[in-house]
Amino acid sequence: MLMSEGVEWGLHCCMVLVWLDDRAPISTARLAEMFELPPEYLKKRLQPLVREGILESTPGSRGGYRLARSSERITLMDVVGAVEGRTEAFRCTEIRRRGAGSAAASSEFAKPCGIAGAMRRAELAWRRELTKQTIADLVADAPANAPTRARRFYERLTA
């Protein structure tokens, strides 16, 4: 399954916002500087997270982003769903009923296609795993110096 870079940027930005949570909202420009990205590019990647209630955005010169809820309540699936959408990765179009299958009795198709079932089970397992993990879990698993490094870098940007 191929996901866009927006998922990765969204997850990293959420982690940074956890590490900088004692500050005012973090501007798009500052977040973009932390990752060496154009601000407009990052803003487009974060807008779906705002729409889904993962981030809150405050407009104005002192505005920016912060988490809309605690990091323990934001799952990886929340971020993936916000960025990529919630449609299923595999859609069975019943191609088994075409060609050679077009002459088969309809009773041969009484049971769902085994391929569709296998793909659905795999996707459900993937979604369950992403739902089990939160931003707080990612933060807990990050290198011990990552929060300090992020804070120091941010302080240099704002000095």
Side-chain angles (χ1 to χ4, degrees), residues 5-54:
E5 272 189 339
V7 171
E8 185 176 7
W9 291 122
L11 292 168
H12 277 288
C13 286
C14 285
M15 291 175 69
V16 166
L17 292 171
V18 170
W19 293 328
L20 302 176
D21 74 342
D22 58 339
R23 297 176 172 61
I26 309 302
S27 73
T28 307
R30 294 291 185 241
L31 275 172
E33 280 183 89
M34 291 186 79
F35 295 111
E36 298 179 345
L37 291 171
E40 281 305 308
Y41 174 85
L42 186 60
K43 183 177 180 181
K44 287 179 183 174
R45 301 303 165 273
L46 298 181
Q47 286 171 348
L49 301 181
V50 172
R51 282 193 297 273
E52 290 289 321
I54 295 166

Side-chain angles (χ1 to χ4, degrees), residues 94 96-112:
E94 284 291 343
R96 66 188 178 151
R97 293 180 183 229
R98 298 180 194 163
S102 64
S106 60
S107 61
E108 288 189 42
F109 306 111
K111 288 175 62 177

Side-chain angles (χ1 to χ4, degrees), residues 69 73-79 130-135:
R69 54 187 191 255
R73 294 185 53 233
I74 302 170
T75 69
L76 276 62
M77 192 66 231
D78 292 335
V79 175
L130 290 177
T131 299
K132 287 181 194 176
Q133 297 181 55
T134 66
I135 298 297

Side-chain angles (χ1 to χ4, degrees), residues 1 13 15 29 48 55-56 58 65-66 90 120 141 143 145 159:
M1 180 170 305
C13 286
M15 291 175 69
L55 298 180
E56 61 182 46
T58 306
Y65 296 97
R66 58 177 33 181
F90 180 82
R120 180 76 180 135
D141 289 341
N145 65 340

